[in-house]
């Protein structure tokens, strides 16, 4: 019976794992794999059989010729296998402690080396870049630590985790996540040498900042206050969003929208990127120089497709790395596998929202609110979820006075958390474990990797302080830091700290961002009206961001189908796909076809294949909002952050009782529409 059981398990594991691992003298190891598996089962009994079979098979996929012969492979297995029980529990505890130290100190060193480049608080030198590139790495395979962990904490596929994970204890889950650390070993002979990006394109998106006080109307009037600087895409998009709350916004919104189109088409004057002495009228795309008090038209050169050179380089660089993975593995497949959400499920969720019949009703409601027909930039409309009793200038002034410096914002974080409902102890603890850093644009949070460390929250501060636009970004990032600090300091297992994937951490961030006016003390509670407005805002955002995510996915598929495509061909296809998706989902609502606005996002230019995280995150948000209804917000927030790194569906079942679904978002949107009727 033991031999039959052994042979069946061997065949199952071989099938499930044949899709990954290096082809390193594998055939010559097969007899040794079978022999040592049987020896270990004989020695340790059937209660260890499943772990032995999985562990030995997985180790054979990671065992290179440099590690030794077949007999040495057997010796390693016999010597290093740890039977289930106190010894294995102790090995788990040791691994948790040591990986906490390794990850923690590597992160602290990385923070220090990267600080000048990330914050740009002083001019960056080549020496800064050399320091940033001088990261310390540890070869866990050379030390054989990875091999010992692979043997004792075997790997499970995502499908197996979904099927079996509901019955696993927290300790079992921690052991599985430890096994995930060494799922794959790359063959150095197959490593592709990196293709360096030209110096002039390094930090391309970071440095893509426009001097808006040099942008003029067709009547040659300067449109924006002196010192206004906006980056593409975040700054331009967020300025359009903020203008809905200012007087007479339409002319400025149209001009910014035209700038966006020039960037996508690469018809933007090259002289207008960065600090400039030129003036630009984007509607007619004319450039001027100032002679005395008069603007005189002058010739200019358009930006030479730099945007698509960066995209082309970033995508091909990631595709080149496919060579070191098993046949059939691509950056596309690995991205979705690592996120534990299949491309098919992500696309299905997004299309279920984009295809909702109520999209037209939401668009009509926006038209009523803004008092005109929709224009393409209204895809970024954000007037549902913010307080219309305050004009943007008033909010800007209030926040600048409150937060003139990063330190002022940092010191108020505990009070912000108290105002949105966190008890004193949790608010003080979580708020005091955050450092606020200034950055040129956007926002992000860098989480601690060991106890004693702090999260770093990074947002843009203008010269006179934090404005509302960046404050709201900061509130989103506070949500990230809560999830990060709860995971680091309150998880029962270090290896489970975190979240199933990027959409879930984006959801946690938005739960806090939704409460930004409560955090300011403007609103006293999260009212039913706010919830309804946020449901409409989330739906409209998923329509916008979901279409951009589909655009990114389709461009990736196209380049894999056309790997020899030129920069010019990639540019043309990127714009065409953006127009096609616009025509599919928005042309009938906006009354205009062939709009390429969906191609503007810098995350897309980075080649990160990350955009789907944002709309899926909003789908997660509304499912959590439904769960939080009638419960204490802070208690539920901390509880869900402590669930940790299960699979996305199992995490959602533990958080809300149901698998991930767009139904709560669609239901909340429909209920909100009923209220507006």
């Amino acid at each position: 019976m033991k031999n039959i059981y052994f042979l069946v398990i061997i065949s199952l594991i071989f099938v499930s794992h044949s899709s990954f691992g290096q082809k390193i003298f594998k055939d010559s190891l097969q007899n040794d794999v079978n022999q040592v598996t049987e020896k270990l089962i004989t020695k340790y009994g059937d209660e260890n059989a499943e772990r032995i079979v999985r562990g030995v098979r997985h180790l054979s996929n990671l065992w290179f010729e440099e590690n030794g012969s077949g007999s040495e492979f057997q010796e390693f297995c016999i010597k290093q296998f740890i039977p289930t029980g106190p010894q294995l529990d102790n090995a788990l505890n040791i691994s948790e402690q040591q990986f906490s130290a390794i990850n923690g100190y590597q992160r602290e060193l990385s923070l220090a080396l990267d600080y000048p480049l990330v914050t740009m608080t002083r001019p960056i030198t080549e020496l800064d870049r050399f320091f940033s590139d001088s990261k310390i790495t540890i070869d866990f395979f050379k030390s054989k630590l990875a091999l010992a962990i692979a043997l004792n904490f075997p790997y499970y596929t995502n499908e197996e985790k979904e099927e079996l994970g509901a019955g696993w204890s927290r300790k079992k889950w921690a052991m599985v996540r430890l096994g995930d650390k060494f799922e794959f070993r790359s063959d150095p002979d197959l490593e592709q040498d990196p293709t360096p990006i030209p110096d002039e394109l390094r930090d391309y998106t970071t440095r893509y900042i426009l001097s808006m006080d040099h942008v003029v109307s067709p009547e040659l009037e300067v449109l924006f206050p002196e010192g206004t600087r906006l980056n593409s895409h975040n700054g331009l998009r967020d300025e359009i969003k903020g203008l809905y709350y200012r007087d007479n916004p339409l002319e400025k919104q149209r001009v910014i929208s035209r700038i966006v189109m020039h960037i996508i088409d690469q018809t933007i004057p090259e002289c207008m990127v960065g600090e400039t002495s030129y003036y630009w009228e984007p509607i007619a795309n004319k450039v001027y120089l100032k002679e005395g008090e008069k603007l005189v038209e002058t010739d200019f050169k358009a930006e030479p497709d730099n945007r698509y050179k960066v995209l082309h380089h970033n995508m091909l660089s990631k595709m080149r790395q496919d060579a070191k993975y098993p046949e059939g593995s691509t950056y596309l497949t690995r991205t979705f596998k690592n996120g534990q959400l299949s491309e098919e499920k992500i696309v299905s969720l997004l299309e279920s929202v984009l295809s909702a019949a109520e999209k037209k009703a939401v668009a009509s409601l926006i038209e009523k609110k803004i008092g005109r027909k929709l224009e393409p930039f209204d895809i970024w409309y954000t007037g549902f979820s913010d307080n219309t009793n305050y004009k943007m200038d008033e909010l800007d002034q209030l926040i600048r006075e409150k937060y003139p410096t990063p330190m002022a914002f940092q010191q108020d974080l505990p009070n912000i958390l108290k105002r949105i409902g966190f008890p004193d102890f949790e608010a003080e603890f979580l708020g005091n474990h955050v450092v606020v850093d200034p950055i040129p644009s956007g926002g992000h949070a860098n989480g601690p990797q060991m106890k004693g460390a702090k999260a770093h929250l990074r947002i843009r501060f203008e010269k006179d302080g934090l404005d509302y636009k960046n404050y709201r970004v900061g509130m989103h990032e506070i949500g990230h830091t809560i999830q990060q600090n709860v995971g680091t300091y309150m998880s029962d297992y270090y290896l489970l700290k975190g979240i199933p994937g990027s959409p879930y951490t984006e959801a946690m961030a938005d739960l806090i961002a939704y409460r930004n006016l409560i955090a300011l003390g403007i609103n006293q509670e999260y009212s039913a009206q706010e919830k309804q407005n946020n449901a409409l805002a989330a739906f409209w955002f998923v329509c916008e961001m979901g279409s951009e995510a589909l655009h990114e996915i389709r461009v990736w598929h196209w380049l894999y189908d056309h790997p020899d495509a030129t920069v010019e061909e990639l540019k043309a296809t990127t714009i065409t796909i953006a127009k096609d998706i616009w025509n599919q989902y928005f042309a009938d609502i906006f009354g205009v076809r062939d709009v390429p606005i969906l191609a503007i996002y810098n995350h897309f230019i980075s080649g990160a294949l990350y955009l789907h995280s944002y709309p899926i995150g909003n789908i997660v948000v509304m499912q959590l909002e439904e769960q939080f209804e009638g419960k204490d917000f802070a208690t539920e927030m901390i509880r869900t952050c402590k669930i940790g790194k299960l699979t996305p569906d199992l995490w959602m079942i533990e958080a809300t009782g149901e698998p991930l679904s767009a139904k709560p978002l669609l239901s909340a949107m429909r209920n909100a529409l009923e209220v507006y009727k």
Side-chain angles (χ1 to χ4, degrees):
M1 285 295 294
K2 184 182 293 183
N3 286 339
I4 293 174
Y5 173 78
F6 160 70
L7 290 172
V8 170
I9 295 294
I10 279 289
S11 64
L12 288 173
I13 300 305
F14 180 77
V15 170
S16 68
H17 283 247
S18 62
S19 61
F20 72 94
Q22 294 296 321
K23 294 180 179 179
I24 42 140
F25 73 112
K26 188 179 293 185
D27 291 342
S28 66
L29 273 183
Q30 293 314 303
N31 287 335
D32 296 289
V33 168
N34 295 339
Q35 288 173 19
V36 76
T37 300
E38 191 160 14
K39 289 176 185 177
L40 288 171
I41 292 175
T42 300
K43 182 176 181 178
Y44 292 108
D46 287 349
E47 64 271 21
N48 286 284
E50 195 259 353
R51 276 186 57 240
I52 290 169
V53 170
R54 283 182 177 274
V56 173
R57 173 60 61 185
H58 185 44
L59 177 59
S60 73
N61 286 323
L62 305 178
W63 189 273
F64 280 21
E65 192 168 8
E66 68 189 49
N67 298 125
S69 63
S71 60
E72 289 173 305
F73 172 81
Q74 290 200 48
E75 290 172 11
F76 183 89
C77 292
I78 291 169
K79 182 178 180 180
Q80 299 300 331
F81 182 77
I82 304 170
T84 300
Q87 287 179 284
L88 189 66
D89 293 346
N90 188 47
L92 175 64
N93 292 336
I94 291 171
S95 298
E96 289 223 308
Q97 293 168 12
Q98 299 293 45
F99 276 116
S100 174
I102 291 168
N103 297 340
Y105 287 111
Q106 281 189 323
R107 182 258 187 176
E108 296 305 305
L109 180 60
S110 178
L111 279 175
L113 296 179
D114 288 342
Y115 188 84
L117 275 68
V118 172
T119 63
M120 293 189 180
T121 48
R122 60 171 170 77
I124 298 169
T125 68
E126 282 301 304
L127 199 60
D128 288 319
R129 297 188 189 280
F130 289 141
F131 273 115
S132 179
D133 292 340
S134 302
K135 301 295 191 300
I136 294 175
T137 59
I138 301 174
D139 189 340
F140 294 108
F141 286 99
K142 186 175 182 179
S143 69
K144 296 191 176 180
L145 173 66
L147 303 177
I149 287 176
L151 173 65
N152 289 288
F153 300 94
Y155 173 76
Y156 289 78
T157 66
N158 287 340
E159 293 75 17
E160 288 171 325
K161 292 184 183 89
E162 286 285 357
E163 181 182 352
L164 304 171
W168 289 343
S169 66
R170 298 283 294 177
K171 181 171 72 175
K172 172 66 174 178
W173 264 108
M175 289 181 172
V176 169
R177 288 308 187 195
L178 179 54
D180 284 347
K181 284 188 171 292
F182 304 109
E183 170 199 350
F184 169 75
R185 183 181 187 183
S186 63
D187 186 340
D189 292 336
L190 299 178
E191 289 274 5
Q192 298 291 303
D193 292 331
T195 305
I197 192 166
D199 287 344
E200 67 271 16
L201 297 180
R202 290 170 67 178
D203 306 320
Y204 173 77
T205 55
T206 303
R207 293 184 286 105
Y208 208 98
I209 297 175
L210 305 177
S211 299
M212 298 302 288
D213 52 3
H214 281 237
V215 172
V216 299
S217 70
E219 293 75 32
L220 302 187
E221 295 177 353
V222 175
L223 291 173
F224 296 89
E226 184 178 354
T228 302
R229 300 291 181 269
L230 297 177
N231 78 310
S232 171
H233 74 281
N234 302 69
L236 297 172
R237 176 204 61 191
D238 291 346
E239 186 71 12
I240 285 177
K241 289 181 177 183
L243 284 166
Y244 288 108
Y245 303 101
R246 300 186 190 274
D247 293 331
N248 304 314
L250 189 55
E251 181 179 27
K252 290 180 180 178
Q253 288 176 321
R254 284 174 173 165
V255 165
I256 295 173
S257 176
R258 194 72 196 95
I259 292 173
V260 167
M261 300 305 176
H262 282 305
I263 293 171
I264 293 169
D265 292 335
Q266 291 286 260
T267 51
I268 181 172
E270 188 174 26
C271 61
M272 294 309 301
V273 180
E275 295 296 326
T276 185
S277 59
Y278 292 88
Y279 288 80
W280 180 30
E281 195 277 277
I283 303 300
N285 201 19
K286 294 181 178 180
V287 171
Y288 299 84
L289 279 172
K290 206 165 193 178
E291 295 183 4
E293 295 300 315
K294 186 178 180 182
L295 291 178
V296 178
E297 187 176 352
T298 186
D299 293 335
F300 68 88
K301 291 182 179 180
E303 186 183 2
D305 283 350
N306 287 342
R307 178 177 181 82
Y308 298 97
K309 290 176 185 176
V310 173
L311 175 64
H312 190 259
H313 173 273
N314 289 340
M315 293 180 76
L316 288 184
S317 294
K318 290 176 169 62
M319 291 169 65
R320 280 169 57 82
Q321 296 308 309
D322 293 348
K324 70 180 183 181
Y325 292 91
E327 186 176 353
S329 175
T330 67
Y331 183 71
L332 261 170
T333 61
R334 291 191 299 277
T335 297
F336 295 115
K337 178 185 175 184
N338 292 339
Q340 303 177 91
L341 279 172
S342 70
E343 179 184 343
E344 292 74 20
K345 180 160 187 171
I346 288 170
V347 170
S348 176
L349 285 167
L350 297 179
E351 289 180 342
S352 71
V353 177
L354 279 160
S355 302
E358 293 84 359
K359 187 170 59 178
K360 289 185 178 180
V362 175
S364 296
L365 181 57
I366 295 173
E367 288 185 339
K368 290 180 183 178
K369 282 178 169 284
I370 60 180
R372 58 172 172 78
K373 290 291 185 182
L374 293 183
E375 298 191 25
F377 61 81
D378 291 316
I379 197 169
W380 290 322
Y381 178 76
T382 187
F384 290 117
S385 58
D386 290 303
N387 195 318
T388 55
N389 295 325
Y390 280 78
K391 293 186 180 297
M392 188 60 65
D393 290 335
E394 295 172 338
L395 283 173
D396 283 345
Q397 185 61 31
L398 185 156
I399 293 167
R400 286 190 184 109
E401 291 175 357
K402 195 174 183 66
Y403 306 123
T405 64
M407 182 55 69
F409 188 55
Q410 178 179 318
Q411 290 175 337
D412 199 41
L413 291 178
N415 296 322
I416 287 174
L417 295 181
K418 290 174 187 177
R419 286 192 287 269
I420 60 178
F422 281 79
D424 288 353
F425 176 81
E426 287 82 354
E428 293 286 345
F429 182 86
L430 295 170
N432 287 326
H433 278 78
V434 178
V435 176
V436 176
D437 297 322
I439 58 173
S441 63
H444 65 270
N446 185 306
Q449 295 299 316
M450 64 179 179
K451 291 180 180 177
K454 295 184 178 183
H456 279 246
L457 186 160
R458 288 159 168 178
I459 50 175
R460 177 179 174 83
F461 282 75
E462 303 298 340
K463 291 181 180 179
D464 51 355
L466 192 64
D467 59 16
Y468 177 73
K469 175 179 64 179
N470 289 301
Y471 162 76
R472 200 176 190 285
V473 173
M475 288 298 297
H476 177 93
E477 302 308 326
I478 288 174
H480 283 306
T481 68
I482 291 171
Q483 178 259 304
Q484 292 163 350
N485 278 320
V486 167
T488 298
Y489 288 95
M490 302 182 190
S491 289
D492 49 354
Y493 289 95
Y494 177 80
L495 291 160
L496 289 183
K497 84 177 188 70
I499 218 81
S502 50
Y504 286 72
T505 189
E506 295 300 337
M508 292 302 182
D510 278 335
L511 284 169
I512 300 299
Y514 280 175
R515 290 155 174 81
N516 72 91
L517 295 175
I518 300 172
L520 279 177
I522 290 175
N523 292 353
Q524 297 304 308
E525 62 178 1
Y526 191 46
S527 65
Q529 182 179 357
E530 278 187 288
K531 293 173 186 176
Q532 292 155 6
N533 287 340
N534 282 335
L536 292 169
F539 172 78
W540 194 246
F541 176 82
V542 174
C543 287
E544 174 242 322
M545 202 72 233
S547 59
E548 280 147 350
L550 293 179
H551 170 258
E552 181 177 44
I553 291 169
R554 291 184 192 180
V555 171
W556 266 103
H557 276 289
W558 181 87
L559 192 58
Y560 265 107
D561 291 339
H562 304 82
D564 297 324
T566 64
V567 171
E568 292 75 18
E569 290 168 334
L570 178 60
K571 172 187 175 182
T573 299
T574 295
I575 293 173
T576 297
I577 292 175
K579 291 178 179 178
D580 289 345
I581 294 175
W582 176 273
N583 292 342
Q584 181 179 359
Y585 291 112
F586 298 108
D588 60 333
I589 292 174
F590 285 82
V592 58
R593 295 179 60 81
D594 295 334
V595 176
I597 196 169
L598 303 175
I600 189 58
Y601 268 65
N602 280 349
H603 296 87
F604 163 64
I605 298 302
S606 75
L609 196 52
Y610 186 84
L611 292 183
H612 62 275
S613 298
Y614 296 109
I616 298 297
N618 267 249
I619 290 172
V620 174
V621 163
M622 297 314 296
Q623 195 163 347
L624 291 174
E625 286 275 50
E626 184 179 78
Q627 165 67 23
F628 287 13
E629 182 68 31
K631 300 180 177 67
D632 181 75
F633 173 72
T635 299
E636 285 297 291
M637 183 82 180
I638 291 173
R639 178 185 72 84
T640 50
C641 286
K642 289 166 67 175
I643 294 171
K645 293 178 68 174
L646 309 186
T647 62
D649 271 345
L650 290 176
W651 189 97
M652 190 59 82
I653 289 169
E654 190 158 333
T656 70
E658 298 290 338
L660 176 60
S661 169
K663 290 179 181 178
L665 168 63
L666 294 172
S667 176
M669 174 269 293
R670 289 163 184 152
N671 291 337
L673 281 177
E674 286 297 317
V675 172
Y676 272 98
K677 282 185 178 179

